[in-house]
Amino acid sequence: MLPGDLIQGEAELDNEDEVQLDEETGLPKGQRHPKGVGGGMAVSSDEEDEEDDEEALRVEGEGFIADDEDEEEPDGDEGETRDERQERRLREKKRRREARHIEENLDEDDLVLIGESHPEFVESPRFKRLKQNARDDTDRAISRGLEDIFSDEDGAEKDVDDVAGRYGRPRRDDRALLNEFDDFIEEDEMTDEEGQGERSELPKVARPRPTPYGLDTAMAAGLDQETIDLIEAAFGNGDDYDWSLALEEPPASDDNRKQKTELKDVFEHSQLVEKLLTKEDDRIRATDEPERFQLARAPFKDLVMTEDQMKEEALWIARMMPKRRLAEELMEPFRKAVAKVLEFFLVDDVEVPFVFQHRKDYLIHAAKVALTPDPNHPDAPQYIVNAEKLLNQNDLWQILDYDIKFRALVSKRNTLEATYGMLRQIASIDDPIFDQMLPAAETMEELQDLQDYLYFQYTSQLKDIKLTNGTATQRTQRRPGVHKSLFERVRNGKVYRLVRAFGITADAFAQNASKEGRRQYADDPNELPDNMADAVDLLDPPEFSTGALVLKAAKAMFAEEIAMNPKMRRVTRQAYYMSGIVDCVRTDRGLKLIDEQHQYYEFKYLRNQQLSDIARQPDMFLRMLEAELNGLVQVTIRLQNEAEFKKQLYNVLASDNFSEVADAWNAQRKEVLEMALARLHTIMAKGVMENLKTRCEDEIAALCRDEFSKKLDQAPFKPAGMSIGTIPRVLALSCGGGSVSNDAVCWAWVEEDGRVLENGKFMDLRTDEGAKQDFVELVQRRKPDVIGVAGFTVETRDLVLDLEKIIQDEDLRGAEYTDLETGDETSKKLDVVMVNDEVARLYHASERAAADFPRIPPLTRYCVALAKYLQNPMKEYASLGKDIVSVSFHPSQKLVPAEKILKQLESALVDMVNLCGVDINEAAADPYTASLLPFVCGLGPRKAIYVLRAVNFNGGYVPSRDELVGDQEGTKMQVVGPRVWNNCASFLYMDYDSSELSSEYLDNTRVHPEDYELGRKMAADALELDEEDIKAEIDDAGPGAVVRKLIKDEAQEKVNDLILEEYAEQLERNFNQKKRATLETIRAELQLPYEELRRNFALLSTDEIFTMLTGETRETLCQGMTVPVAIKRILNQERQLGVVLDCGVRSLVPEHEIFDWPNQEIPLNQRFAPHQMVQAKILSLSRSQFEASLSLREDVVRRPYRRQFDRMPDEWDEAQEERDKETLQEKSEQTERTQRVIKHPLFRPFNSAQAEEYLGSQSRGDAVIRPSSKGLDHIAITWKVSDNVYQHIDVLELDKDSEFSVGRTLKIGGRYIYSDLDELIVNHIKAMSRKVDEMTLHEKYQNGTKAETERWLTTYTEANPKRSVYVFCLNSKHPGYFHLCFKAGQRAQLSSWPVKVIPNAFEMRNNAYPDMRALCNGFKLMFSNMHGLKGL
């Protein structure tokens, strides 16, 4: 078949009549039923299920073919010719098309008039069939047109209301629950054919019920409502006998009952998960429990903790937490503090911020220390209080994590207890080892040891129990004795008597090794091991037919018993943790790829690393594991004193007897010990490495959290003369990645309330006087408090210098303020600040930025983000959501799973957001502030959405904290439940309005409502009010009257005179409440509510600015490194070269650093050219000036750069390093002797790995010509198909003049022949690259792996059971190939065909297709022909 035939075939396909399907059978109309089906009778759904597989596949495959028309064509006369039949069909199609056109042009008013004048229209047969089809979804047409199914449309359904409106029917909104999600997805427009097909899916339209006794007629007669009411009172309204009419109506069957439309029926599951709209999300929203608790405890939601287990957990967590330097007398208070915090979490259901803010006294140990009485000062205090902090906020988060780990421990322990209970009950098994070890197990490893022991020791019994309980599958229900493991057969056979002959059990040996109780001694038999194994009563043919086989099986069994013994595992694990040594050994691949400049060279020859050393360098260990994953090194763990450890174990295993028999048995025991230790080494090494990896990941995640906390702990930039926390007005500027003199400088003006009131551009602020004056006019008009600047290149520093010069020359100043010392109005020169742009870089090109500011360019959005960062860094970070993991907080952050990083970063956000609090009314009105709500104590993303919805439902304003749980009248929707309210109440505040009596001052503070009475009591004591005065104030203005009076009289400072210590003692003595820290908080809040507690805005350091603008750190760019530089300027007179590094750092290289021997006679422009790349050595680097001193001298550049590492002498294998250097030198010399050079700009002396690494940063379609390993008559070409996908092409050279010349004929795969390399690159490589571009840009192409694509196909067909779909995806395992994945309906199997990219075409099943259109149609025709589908 030729490509031209496909195109022609496609045109014929479009014009050909399509098959009409019968609504009852689903078969083409006019086609006879299959054999075995009664003529003319419809095939039921049950009968269809019994069709054979071939028929089912054919029916499913019909989903690839679509029908345009849904009305049956009338049969013609038998005698009419083919031309007459064709002409009649065309007339019928034209008539139907005109009828549809007239009907579609009728608007709703026309249809209403038609319905009034022609009532029979409402009950037309066509609409009756529509209602009938709506009752049974299986009656829909299951076949669609070929072009319809594979069209661009994704099958969007036509809205029911539109169709109902077309027939003049009352509309019924079946998707009322989805109204608030109308903008969730964008609906596609549908073709007429799709619209016709979807009408059959309409819900049944209810018949309009008649109004009582012609109420419409009464209205038309002019009767008013009062007269109608009198008539109804006298004669009734006609509904008295409706019950009898209802009895006459047949009940709707279950099959015909319309199912309620749910979100999952409309949207894909991934969309619902993304938008938090699943049923699980709804359950979390509705449950009155902190959202973060629900998510963390979800795997153990059915676990009920007993009081004893809670006490056990407190002691377990106190033991497991990292030990800090606490005095011995503080250990017991520390354990009590952990237990109390756990009680707050488990019993009170309060989160970390609540505990830290309102239960701080339980985190501190306060002790009174008596003072020596001073006779000169009789009023001096008799004691002082020493307070020691036991737990900080990070410790609280750790306790929460340990709580989840303990729940997992208890859950697994309960499972083991249940399994053991069944063994005791059914098999009458009593195992003292299990009974002893289970209560003492404290880690998941120890529980896993017990599980392995149980399933090894009682394999047969557990299988029998499984069969007895009926839980075994058909595959496992087999005859007893079949497919038993070796150890089961040995344990149940004669051979096990030889295991007992070793004279000591595995448990006794483990007891000796752990030094528990009295030592158990091994007893020697009377016979030699070989003689005993040859005994007839031990042979168990056919498997164990010889003594050697019997002895081998017995030793394997005994070794496995030792390895499976939980006591022995505990001893071995302790030895590995105490004396474990980690070695890093390079592989053959690592030998070639890891050179001295490589990032992995730091541990290429690393040896003898103790586990404590590894724990101190978590990032290095994770990089070691990454290198191992890439096949560059092998990380191993061993015992430091392995020989001594083996010797100790052998001594407690061997017999103490002296005889030939004892020596023979001891030799066998030694072999068993070696086998058991080898097995244990595999288990222990894997477990220790996994635990070490987890610990290192946790450490890196904690470091990221600490760094993030520092960035969050910044108040807004403080304008001169203002108090901390004042939000500045900001003018932000940036030149992006351009040049200050050649590119525009974008700017944005942001008010203190976050509004972007003005933005624009400046051209050349350095030399253009007009641009300078525009800038000066803007500053003088807007009066900014600060100017923020950032960018993508070193040119940004030039912009800062230009702005500072303009400000200096024009004496531009900020807003005026009052000098507190002199009382005069003054102002300072404007500050130009370099702003951290890590949030702005993510924001400016995001969809959120485009939605926020659709009419301004991305660089101006970048400026907006810079300004908002100056105004409130915390809000900027919170607005990123899950994208916060894209911000770099640690160099090794990418080696840690993103989920761990996100969990730690979110906890830092929770801490800081609750420290600052959230104005709930501002959050309801401002989406930017609302981004903080998910981090409020007790809330989360799901509950935050509901809170905003409920607040807006209540009018968009919350007057008091009490109304968050509803009002007394019941007119307000409850925003949160009581438990969640208890968590979040003090962290959601409302502005205090002194003019409103209902406004509570304490609602604007950090004071929790549970402590309002304490605050009011402190205010009354400060005002020295007696009980009568307090009662009068409360009776006059409510409970908050006393605090209101304190504020009104501006007497807040009087609370400083209160002695809170005595009050705190009284509360603890009378009410058992520790409130010392709470009282201090109340005192501070009465004076300044929600005082700014964050640190001052942190200006970027020199290193941070350098990294932000260059992307380089001290590790990646430093003195002594050899780097490539580009020549920008050649100064012949000064004999200097102006060069620039890739990162933008500049340098002026003098002549004595250019040549080894300067030669004044040769001009520099004869030796160098602009934009030429040369190698240079960094002599010094100024990070503040972005300048470097370089040398181009060959003798200097040749000196290798070696990073210095602090290592002990025995931690580096220097001997192996020297041997590897000699090996590489020999290979290099051999390679240089045979290295081939080809004169072509794309040639590189690379191997395949080097070529892939080189092309990694290149564009798709770029290629490298390189030597081939197949010989001198071959060339290899590597080209980039996609990211991380490279195709290596072998080129055979013919007609060569010499071994090293390029052949005149170049042949690829025996099919393609070219005359030179340029022709090959253009007509072969570039031609295939264009085909790859065409494929990836096609609408049917999906990014992702084959597995992801198949999951999408499955999801799509589940949502659209009777539709078929196909897509393309990249085959990363076979570069140059794509997968054509398809699924012909819901019940069909997933299938895929390979599609190969060849020059200027695609190849599928040995057929070439010139473009994607031909490929798609070729697939459709081929699939239809293979499955025998009709209608093509």
Side-chain angles (χ1 to χ4, degrees), residues 1082-1095:
I1082 295 174
R1083 171 153 55 188
E1085 292 297 315
L1086 286 175
Q1087 297 178 76
L1088 187 60
Y1090 261 107
E1091 179 185 5
E1092 181 61 73
L1093 300 180
R1094 290 174 290 180
R1095 296 181 296 112

Side-chain angles (χ1 to χ4, degrees), residues 351-637:
E351 283 201 273
V352 169
F354 181 95
V355 176
F356 187 73
Q357 181 69 30
H358 304 299
R359 300 292 184 266
K360 194 174 295 184
D361 295 270
Y362 295 91
L363 313 179
I364 301 171
H365 177 65
K368 292 182 179 180
V369 179
L371 296 177
T372 303
D374 187 355
N376 298 325
H377 299 84
D379 296 333
Q382 300 178 0
Y383 60 87
I384 61 173
V385 178
N386 285 343
E388 291 284 346
K389 182 180 289 187
L390 301 175
L391 297 170
N392 56 34
Q393 201 161 7
N394 288 351
D395 294 332
L396 300 183
W397 287 107
Q398 283 191 354
I399 293 174
L400 202 57
D401 289 338
Y402 277 118
D403 171 56
I404 302 304
K405 293 177 181 178
F406 186 79
R407 287 170 181 265
L409 196 74
V410 172
S411 178
K412 189 173 184 68
R413 188 170 63 189
N414 292 344
T415 303
L416 287 176
E417 288 177 342
T419 304
Y420 183 60
M422 287 191 297
L423 285 172
R424 298 183 68 171
Q425 180 181 358
I426 298 177
S428 301
I429 289 175
D430 191 5
D431 192 314
I433 298 176
F434 189 87
D435 291 334
Q436 177 188 357
M437 297 295 295
L438 183 62
E442 289 190 342
T443 65
M444 293 296 290
E445 292 173 317
E446 294 175 351
L447 288 178
Q448 186 62 44
D449 293 343
L450 286 170
Q451 178 176 319
D452 294 343
Y453 167 77
L454 209 60
Y455 279 81
F456 168 74
Q457 198 71 23
Y458 307 107
T459 305
S460 301
Q461 293 88 335
L462 288 172
K463 287 183 178 179
D464 293 341
I465 291 175
K466 193 173 184 181
L467 290 172
T468 303
N469 294 340
T471 58
T473 61
Q474 186 176 1
R475 184 184 298 273
T476 61
Q477 292 178 352
R478 297 177 179 175
R479 294 191 308 274
V482 179
H483 294 294
K484 288 186 177 180
S485 67
L486 170 66
F487 303 117
E488 286 184 84
R489 297 195 298 274
V490 170
R491 185 184 293 114
N492 298 328
K494 301 177 182 179
V495 181
Y496 197 70
R497 279 180 279 173
L498 188 59
V499 177
R500 296 196 190 98
F502 280 94
I504 188 171
T505 64
D507 185 59
F509 167 58
Q511 182 177 337
N512 291 343
S514 59
K515 299 179 181 179
E516 295 179 357
R518 296 181 56 186
R519 176 180 170 180
Q520 305 292 321
Y521 293 91
D523 296 329
D524 296 321
N526 297 326
E527 295 183 74
L528 293 172
D530 293 336
N531 296 340
M532 182 176 285
D534 289 333
V536 177
D537 58 342
L538 290 181
L539 297 179
D540 195 3
E543 187 173 6
F544 308 112
S545 57
T546 65
L549 292 175
V550 170
L551 185 58
K552 180 179 179 181
K555 289 191 293 184
M557 182 68 189
F558 191 27
E560 191 69 14
E561 286 183 339
I562 293 175
M564 286 295 177
N565 188 277
K567 294 181 182 178
M568 192 63 209
R569 286 194 178 186
R570 184 176 61 183
V571 171
T572 311
R573 184 176 291 110
Q574 289 176 352
Y576 270 84
Y577 278 116
M578 296 296 295
S579 305
I581 294 295
V582 175
D583 295 327
C584 187
V585 182
R586 58 98 185 129
T587 62
D588 293 338
R589 188 165 182 258
L591 170 65
K592 301 175 183 178
L593 296 182
I594 304 178
D595 57 16
E596 293 186 356
Q597 308 300 323
H598 201 281
Q599 60 172 336
Y600 296 152
Y601 194 79
E602 178 183 2
F603 48 78
K604 184 177 182 180
Y605 302 103
L606 196 63
R607 302 287 189 272
N608 301 325
Q609 290 292 295
Q610 296 183 359
L611 299 188
S612 57
D613 299 330
I614 293 294
R616 286 191 293 269
Q617 305 177 77
D619 54 338
M620 185 184 72
F621 182 71
L622 293 180
R623 284 188 285 116
M624 289 167 62
L625 297 181
E626 181 187 42
E628 183 179 42
L629 191 63
N630 295 330
L632 301 178
V633 298
Q634 184 178 3
V635 184
T636 61
I637 187 170

